[in-house]
Amino acid sequence: PSRVADTSRASLTRRVLPILFFSSGASSLVFETIFTRLLTYSFGNTAYATSTVLASFLGGLALGALIFGRWVDRRPPSLWIYGVLELLIAAFCFFIPQFFGLLTQAYVALHHQFQFGPAGLTAVRFGLASLVIVVPTMLMGGTLPALARFVSAAHPQNFELEVSRLYGWNTLGAAVGTLASTYLLMPAWGVRGTLAIACFINVSVFLAVAALAKKSRTAAIETEETSPRQIPAAQPPGRHVLALLIGGAFLTGAVALAYEVLWTHVLAFLIGNTVYAFGVMLFTFLCGLGIGAHLVARRLRN
């Protein structure tokens, strides 16, 4: 009976986690849309605001994945880490309008003090905005490593497939969040209402994770004690191959986001509104990433 119960709990967790991570992705991109809208008020230029948010958002995700990824690898696997990260995101982002208000006051005071030119003022705005945006996005970047750590312990035989599956659902959720915030939530509820909805989603994810964590013995999963040698592993790549792969990934990311900015400008000519052009482009872009992750996870195992 105990094994049956553990299997049932594991099955429940496997079914629910993609839904939670889908919701998490949706709320994250709602927050990104809000950041862009608020920065537009500060910059007075949607192109600069969009580029600042993209650079800061992705930089924060990368930094969070690196820092939290190393941290969770040294700790027992637990869903609580993911849940607490979601709660912290909601707590910080709830006060984002106030933080951006302080940001505006700060760069106005600095401009009066130092009389920056257009380029200097843009650089100051970018630096101050990045400080605000990087904090919640670092927390967002830590959610995938936290879940990957848990999944690798719960499903050691096929955890790569499970992590790819989670990534795919998270990205598709981000696409839905982009479209919903741009065309539905923001026009109907404004910045404050949309922000409250996104924070509510994150808090709901935390509560669902808390309920799951109580039902499952996350820190005492038997498979965690199973030797990793049971997992068939490929020969690790040499240093030169690894450097080539990392460099390729870096350049691929740089080119992909350059396309993203260019496509936004091109779409603005067709749609006539940069905010909506950004929403359409980002929705399509994220759908492609999510579908690609699903296809590769299912068909390319090696």
Side-chain angles (χ1 to χ4, degrees), residues 47-299:
Y48 285 158
T50 300
S51 298
T52 299
V53 170
L54 281 175
S56 304
F57 198 91
L58 290 164
L61 290 179
L63 196 58
L66 179 66
I67 294 172
F68 285 101
R70 290 179 173 177
W71 182 73
V72 297
D73 282 342
R74 297 193 297 265
R75 299 184 61 83
S78 174
L79 275 178
W80 281 106
I81 298 173
Y82 167 60
V84 170
L85 287 174
E86 292 291 342
L87 186 63
L88 290 175
I89 293 166
F92 186 92
C93 288
F94 185 77
F95 297 101
I96 277 292
Q98 287 82 357
F99 292 143
F100 275 104
L102 293 173
L103 179 154
T104 303
Q105 294 176 20
Y107 84 72
V108 168
L110 288 170
H111 178 62
H112 285 309
Q113 181 72 27
F114 299 102
Q115 297 298 312
F116 294 113
L121 188 58
T122 300
V124 169
R125 287 169 173 166
F126 176 82
L128 291 173
S130 297
L131 289 176
V132 175
I133 295 172
V134 159
V135 175
T137 53
M138 278 182 61
L139 298 171
M140 294 173 194
T143 56
L144 182 59
L147 279 183
R149 175 76 175 103
F150 175 81
V151 169
S152 65
H155 307 283
Q157 300 298 330
N158 62 343
F159 77 93
E160 298 96 337
L161 175 62
E162 293 297 322
V163 171
S164 298
R165 187 165 155 265
L166 286 171
Y167 171 78
W169 280 111
N170 182 254
T171 308
L172 290 174
V176 171
T178 300
L179 206 63
S181 59
T182 302
Y183 287 94
L184 178 63
L185 299 177
M186 203 75 77
W189 298 92
V191 170
R192 296 278 183 179
T194 304
L195 183 65
I197 291 170
C199 290
F200 174 77
I201 292 172
N202 281 78
V203 172
S204 299
V205 170
F206 166 74
L207 294 175
V209 167
L212 276 178
K214 287 180 181 178
K215 291 180 180 179
S216 60
R217 299 173 298 173
T218 56
I221 300 174
E222 291 181 8
T223 52
E224 174 68 8
E225 298 175 1
T226 304
S227 172
R229 297 186 188 90
Q230 292 184 359
I231 307 170
Q235 187 70 23
R239 293 180 63 183
H240 294 297
V241 175
L242 191 60
L244 181 65
L245 291 174
I246 292 173
F250 179 87
L251 291 175
T252 301
V255 172
L257 268 293
Y259 281 138
E260 189 172 329
V261 174
L262 287 171
W263 292 339
T264 301
H265 287 294
V266 172
L267 277 174
F269 292 118
L270 299 175
I271 296 176
N273 185 307
T274 309
V275 172
Y276 289 135
F278 180 67
V280 169
M281 180 281 308
L282 196 54
F283 169 75
T284 311
F285 195 88
L286 290 167
C287 278
L289 292 179
I291 293 168
H294 274 295
L295 290 176
V296 169
R298 285 178 176 275
R299 300 192 180 277

Side-chain angles (χ1 to χ4, degrees), residues 5-22:
D6 288 345
T7 303
S8 176
R9 292 188 192 108
S11 177
L12 175 65
T13 302
R14 187 175 180 275
R15 290 196 305 269
V16 172
L17 280 183
I19 298 171
L20 297 181
F21 214 34
F22 178 94

